[in-house]
Amino acid sequence: MRNRKKLITNIFKIIFFPLYLLLVVYKFIIKKIKSSIRLKLSWIYIRKLLGAMILTCLTVIIVYGSIKIYKVVSLDHKSISNILLEPGINYSRLQKYSKEHNSHIIIYDRDKNFLYGTKNEFSTKKYKNLPDIVKTEHGLLFALNRSVSVKDMYIVIYTDIKNQVSEIMLLSKITFYVFSTIIFFSIISILISVKGIFLPLKEMTETVKGISKNNLNLRLNVGGSKNELKELAITFNDMMNRIEEDYNKQKQFVSDASHELRTPIAVIHGYVDMLNRWGKNEREVLEESINAIKNESENMNDLVEKLLFLARNDKGTLLLQKDEFSLTEMLIETVKETQIIDSSHRIEYDIKKEISVLADRKRIKQAVRIFMDNALKYTPRKGKITVTLGSENRHASINIRDTGIGMKKDELQHIFDRFYRSDKSRTKEKGGHGLGLAIGKIIVLGHNGKIKVRSKPGEGSEFIILLPR
Ligand code: ADP
């Protein structure tokens, strides 16, 4: 059954092979057009061009042909009218005119019965509604609806339009060949120019294919004329710049973090070695090693906590538990705690105004601690640190001012970068990792707040934290 069906299909395919071939080609073209914007665009242009050309050809041929035929019919009509308007119908003149011009005149009576015809073959031609066209062995006869009525008779004039029709056919042929040539070259130029439009897109695809994590610096060519593709290339390049910057930052972060962890691990390793060799017998070595290991592990713990904070923030899993609380009370509490821990500085505060905010108390306290710790770290002994609380444009403003080493302008640009430490703070071995301010910034910005910094080398620094009330 299945084989029979297949056989019949194959027989059909053989019989209608040209048609089948045409169908296959058509399907192939349509498939190609569907899968390519370039061909689709070319197809749209070609269709429009073809439509315009065919319309123009037809208009030219129809207008030209109509004028030609109308002219010859009008001429016949005029001449025959003149003959008929003479007194009494001059049949011999009519006959003569008919022979000379291959025109045919038929006269019908009032009831449209045949009376007279200039050609024998039309002797019994019945009256027909006009316009009428008759093909004879001598020519193509055409009668327009312009019958002459003389003495209660209908006179129909058939004009030979064979020459005009031949002329029209010749004109049609010429226009067909001319327009076909124009269309052929137009199609080729459309295909080439459309290919040109998509060339930059192809180039872009090749470049994008070449981008990998080891080759993030490849960029699209934005030269050439200004167009939508140039805009796309610029946007893409901007995006790649951001991705590359983020990727490099991430790489730098991992390398900095490993570097920071390597030092305490090396120190702990060194002390463990020392303990192993002499610590069992020498009490001094034992105590020194235990203290150092304790300090370094605390240091490591602090670093790991900070790294975890940053990782949570980057992953978007850092949650803020916002509640309404008294900023005044929280700030006094923090300052008093700091005064207990650090007695080598003069810590003063001016916190009178009662200000409440909707924020994560724990995180805000963590941020304030970071700024206060820095003020202590970078201010020499006996130096003054002042903490004030006020309000500024619907914001609560916490002001932490120190009289420490201060910062230069170029340092200020980087203090919020991860792992940034100025050379001064490195040499003085203040013990920081360069992550404090980065964390403080994340907390304050996470509360839609702002941080302002003023600093002068040798005179001190002032950090202003603004939190929306
Ligand atoms: P660190 O743990 O090194 O203090 P931070 O991110 O808290 O890291 O600070 C980054 C850098 O900004 C510090 O190394 C220091 O150079 C500078 N800095 C921060 N606060 C102050 C300050 N109050 N006075 C002077 N320099 C400061």
Side-chain angles (χ1 to χ4, degrees):
M1 182 72 185
R2 239 169 137 197
N3 278 348
R4 241 178 81 186
K5 215 173 161 186
K6 214 172 169 185
L7 189 76
I8 292 170
T9 323
N10 283 340
I11 290 171
F12 262 99
K13 271 185 190 171
I14 292 164
I15 295 172
F16 296 105
F17 185 71
L19 211 70
Y20 172 72
L21 201 72
L22 218 70
L23 203 78
V24 169
V25 172
Y26 176 75
K27 268 190 181 170
F28 175 77
I29 292 173
I30 293 294
K31 202 176 155 190
K32 277 265 168 207
I33 286 173
K34 271 187 185 163
S35 63
S36 149
I37 302 176
R38 181 164 74 90
L39 287 179
K40 218 180 259 179
L41 208 62
S42 309
W43 179 235
I44 291 171
Y45 284 140
I46 291 167
R47 243 175 26 203
K48 286 207 163 82
L49 183 76
L50 271 176
M53 289 264 183
I54 291 171
L55 207 73
T56 319
C57 281
L58 284 178
T59 317
V60 168
I61 291 163
I62 290 170
V63 170
Y64 177 81
S66 307
I67 292 171
K68 275 272 162 183
I69 291 171
Y70 187 79
K71 259 188 181 172
V72 69
V73 167
S74 296
L75 197 73
D76 255 5
H77 192 88
K78 212 170 159 190
S79 311
I80 292 166
S81 292
N82 283 341
I83 299 171
L84 287 171
L85 284 172
E86 285 170 13
I89 298 172
N90 192 340
Y91 290 108
S92 59
R93 271 197 71 188
L94 279 180
Q95 199 71 40
K96 197 178 161 213
Y97 184 89
S98 165
K99 259 193 191 142
E100 277 170 8
H101 294 87
N102 196 25
S103 300
H104 184 60
I105 302 133
I106 311 174
I107 303 176
Y108 297 95
D109 68 9
R110 177 197 302 192
D111 302 321
K112 294 176 181 169
N113 293 318
F114 180 84
L115 283 181
Y116 169 78
T118 48
K119 272 195 175 77
N120 287 340
E121 57 224 79
F122 277 7
S123 57
T124 52
K125 186 161 172 61
K126 280 191 181 152
Y127 183 85
K128 264 198 175 174
N129 281 335
L130 302 179
D132 183 27
I133 194 153
V134 181
K135 196 173 178 328
T136 66
E137 54 183 288
H138 305 294
L140 197 64
L141 298 178
F142 177 66
L144 199 65
N145 195 7
R146 293 183 65 174
S147 54
V148 188
S149 57
V150 183
K151 299 160 198 146
D152 288 342
M153 289 182 288
Y154 287 103
I155 291 138
V156 180
I157 305 158
Y158 280 87
T159 308
D160 184 16
I161 54 165
K162 197 175 76 188
N163 290 342
Q164 284 68 31
V165 171
S166 310
E167 230 177 279
I168 293 165
M169 289 308 283
L170 185 70
L171 180 74
S172 308
K173 267 186 200 163
I174 293 170
T175 39
F176 175 77
Y177 288 122
V178 169
F179 280 108
S180 299
T181 320
I182 294 174
I183 282 176
F184 176 74
F185 286 111
S186 304
I187 288 174
I188 289 176
S189 85
I190 285 173
L191 284 172
I192 292 170
S193 57
V194 170
K195 193 178 175 187
I197 294 174
F198 284 92
L199 217 61
L201 212 62
K202 209 173 167 197
E203 255 176 47
M204 280 176 162
T205 315
E206 289 306 316
T207 315
V208 174
K209 269 186 196 166
I211 296 176
S212 70
K213 80 174 166 44
N214 301 324
N215 208 0
L216 274 178
N217 57 348
L218 268 187
R219 293 293 178 272
L220 297 177
N221 180 12
V222 288
S225 62
K226 174 139 184 66
N227 55 28
E228 290 83 349
L229 286 184
K230 186 173 178 168
E231 252 177 69
L232 179 72
I234 291 173
T235 316
F236 180 83
N237 285 352
D238 285 347
M239 184 193 75
M240 280 312 297
N241 287 345
R242 287 196 299 273
I243 291 178
E244 191 183 6
E245 203 183 319
D246 281 357
Y247 182 73
N248 287 341
K249 266 191 194 166
Q250 202 66 34
K251 259 178 27 185
Q252 188 63 40
F253 180 75
V254 173
S255 134
D256 287 344
S258 329
H259 193 79
E260 286 295 321
L261 280 168
R262 215 167 57 182
T263 319
I265 289 173
V267 174
I268 291 173
H269 201 259
Y271 276 103
V272 171
D273 255 4
M274 213 161 94
L275 272 176
N276 196 25
R277 282 189 207 157
W278 302 291
K280 290 164 201 156
N281 309 319
E282 289 182 37
R283 194 167 173 78
E284 241 176 68
V285 173
L286 183 74
E287 261 173 31
E288 188 195 328
S289 303
I290 288 171
N291 272 341
I293 290 171
K294 194 170 162 254
N295 281 344
E296 286 307 321
S297 54
E298 272 169 9
N299 185 14
M300 253 169 77
N301 191 42
D302 175 55
L303 176 62
V304 170
E305 282 297 323
K306 283 177 174 162
L307 289 175
L308 269 176
F309 179 96
L310 292 171
R312 262 188 229 127
N313 173 65
D314 293 349
K315 251 173 74 184
T317 52
L318 188 74
L319 295 177
L320 295 174
Q321 286 183 341
K322 291 186 182 175
D323 286 310
E324 178 119 18
F325 69 91
S326 162
L327 198 60
T328 319
E329 180 252 314
M330 189 277 286
L331 215 54
I332 294 173
E333 180 186 294
T334 317
V335 174
K336 283 188 174 163
E337 279 169 10
T338 318
Q339 279 171 332
I340 295 169
I341 301 165
D342 189 306
S343 53
S344 59
H345 292 94
R346 271 192 296 138
I347 306 172
E348 293 177 2
Y349 64 91
D350 177 14
I351 309 167
K352 291 186 198 101
K353 209 171 166 187
E354 174 52 45
I355 293 176
S356 294
V357 284
L358 182 74
D360 187 327
R361 191 180 193 276
K362 207 175 123 198
R363 294 289 176 212
I364 296 291
K365 191 170 176 180
Q366 185 185 357
V368 171
R369 271 233 168 95
I370 290 169
F371 292 102
M372 288 198 43
D373 281 353
N374 277 350
L376 296 174
K377 244 195 293 184
Y378 302 109
T379 304
R381 286 170 70 85
K382 302 274 181 253
K384 192 169 107 176
I385 288 134
T386 320
V387 181
T388 50
L389 175 67
S391 54
E392 193 182 309
N393 296 336
R394 285 204 261 148
H395 280 79
S397 94
I398 304 165
N399 194 314
I400 299 162
R401 194 163 4 110
D402 65 53
T403 49
I405 56 171
M407 289 169 275
K408 283 191 274 176
K409 249 193 178 164
D410 55 320
E411 285 178 82
L412 276 175
Q413 285 173 3
H414 302 288
I415 54 172
F416 293 100
D417 293 350
R418 293 175 186 188
F419 292 108
Y420 174 79
R421 276 176 296 178
S422 72
D423 287 340
K424 276 179 292 178
S425 20
R426 277 176 209 274
T427 48
K428 287 202 169 186
E429 290 180 352
K430 300 279 179 193
H433 300 289
L435 293 175
L437 288 184
I439 291 174
K441 184 180 163 186
I442 289 172
I443 295 173
V444 176
L445 296 196
H447 284 85
N448 299 320
K450 285 179 213 161
I451 304 172
K452 289 188 198 167
V453 195
R454 290 188 204 119
S455 188
K456 244 186 178 178
E459 286 185 21
S461 312
E462 184 179 8
F463 284 83
I464 303 157
I465 306 160
L466 297 169
L467 292 173
R469 292 184 69 178

